[in-house]
Amino acid sequence: MKKLVLVAVVGMLLTACGGKKAPQDGGHGIGIDSVTISERDSDIQHTENFIRQRVEAIYSCYKNPKYDETGARVMKRLNLDSLYCSENYKKFLEQALELAGDDDIVLDYDHWTNSQDDNDFTCEVGRIKMTTDSTAVVIIDAKNFGNDYIISLGLHYERGNWFVDDFLSPDGKDGEKAYLEKYVRDAIKTKAEELSLQNYAE
C-alpha cells in the first residue's frame, strides 16, 4: 500500500512539473533560463555598438584593398544584396529586375558605394540613429577618387539581425525602395497598355 501511495505521489509531482525545463546550470538550480538569455541577446543586438559592428562587417570587403598590375582593385565580389538586404527590399528589387528584363537597367550604380566605380572607395561607419526598436539609420563616411561624401542606410531588425532595408539620400528623405516601387508600378502600367494596344490591333 505504501508503495502505491509513493508511486501516486511521484506521479502527481511529475505531472505538476510537466513542461518545465531543467536548470541550464549543470543541475545546481541557480542558472538563467532560456527566456532571460534570449532577452539579454536581444538587448545587446539593439545597441548602437552592435549595429556598428554589423555594418562594419558588411563593408569589410572594402577594407585593406589590393590592386593588380593594371591598378584595378582585386576584391572578392560578394552578393551583398542577397546577404545583407531585408526581405522587403529584396522583394522590390527582384520585381523591378524581373520587369526590366534585358531591356532596361534598374540601377546604373552600386548602391553600396553610391558610385559607378569603386576602385578607390574607402569608408568608415559614422553616426547611428535608432529611429524605433527595430529600425535605425546609419551614416557611412565615404571617400572615392578624392571626393568625400556620405552613404545613408536605413536598417531593419529581422531574422535575428540587422539588414539594410533602404539606401537613402544624404538628407534621408528619399530612398531606393520608393524608386523601385514606382519603377514596378510604371512598368506594370506600361506592359498593360502595350498588351491592350496589341489586343486592339488584333
Side-chain angles (χ1 to χ4, degrees):
M1 184 68 178
K2 288 182 180 180
K3 287 184 179 180
L4 289 175
V5 172
L6 181 60
V7 169
V9 171
V10 170
M12 285 189 292
L13 287 173
L14 289 174
T15 302
C17 296
K20 290 187 179 180
K21 294 182 178 179
Q24 303 295 316
D25 59 358
H28 299 294
I30 55 173
I32 300 173
D33 62 28
S34 59
V35 174
T36 307
I37 292 172
S38 177
E39 289 173 352
R40 176 184 290 178
D41 289 345
S42 180
D43 288 343
I44 292 171
Q45 290 172 338
H46 287 76
T47 62
E48 289 187 11
N49 187 51
F50 185 91
I51 294 172
R52 182 178 301 278
Q53 291 176 3
R54 171 66 165 171
V55 177
E56 286 175 349
I58 293 172
Y59 276 86
S60 62
C61 59
Y62 295 102
K63 299 287 186 181
N64 304 315
K66 296 180 181 179
Y67 301 89
D68 63 19
E69 61 278 2
T70 66
R73 180 190 286 240
V74 178
M75 188 173 81
K76 181 181 179 182
R77 287 288 174 183
L78 302 172
N79 189 340
L80 298 181
D81 292 350
S82 176
L83 291 171
Y84 300 118
C85 283
S86 70
E87 293 297 324
N88 190 248
Y89 176 87
K90 287 192 291 187
K91 178 189 73 175
F92 283 113
L93 181 60
E94 288 166 4
Q95 288 177 340
L97 291 173
E98 183 178 350
L99 288 165
D102 297 327
D103 301 327
D104 194 15
I105 298 175
V106 177
L107 299 173
D108 63 353
Y109 64 98
D110 182 354
H111 45 207
W112 293 98
T113 63
N114 198 16
S115 68
Q116 292 181 325
D117 185 349
D118 56 27
N119 201 53
D120 197 38
F121 178 82
T122 59
C123 67
E124 293 292 337
V125 179
R127 300 182 305 281
I128 297 172
K129 180 182 178 183
M130 299 291 299
T131 50
T132 70
D133 289 342
S134 60
T135 59
V137 174
V138 177
I139 302 299
I140 307 291
D141 296 314
K143 179 175 284 192
N144 200 14
F145 294 105
N147 297 314
D148 294 326
Y149 60 101
I150 67 170
I151 298 169
S152 187
L153 305 175
L155 268 62
H156 184 255
Y157 187 81
E158 61 183 57
R159 293 173 283 155
N161 214 327
W162 291 88
F163 293 84
V164 176
D165 189 53
D166 208 353
F167 296 84
L168 305 169
S169 60
D171 60 11
K173 293 181 179 178
D174 300 312
E176 258 184 26
K177 273 205 324 188
Y179 159 74
L180 293 173
E181 186 176 9
K182 184 178 184 303
Y183 184 97
V184 169
R185 188 169 58 247
D186 291 347
I188 291 174
K189 181 180 178 182
T190 299
K191 288 184 182 296
E193 290 172 350
E194 290 174 352
L195 183 61
S196 178
L197 288 172
Q198 183 180 348
N199 291 336
Y200 180 78
E202 294 174 352

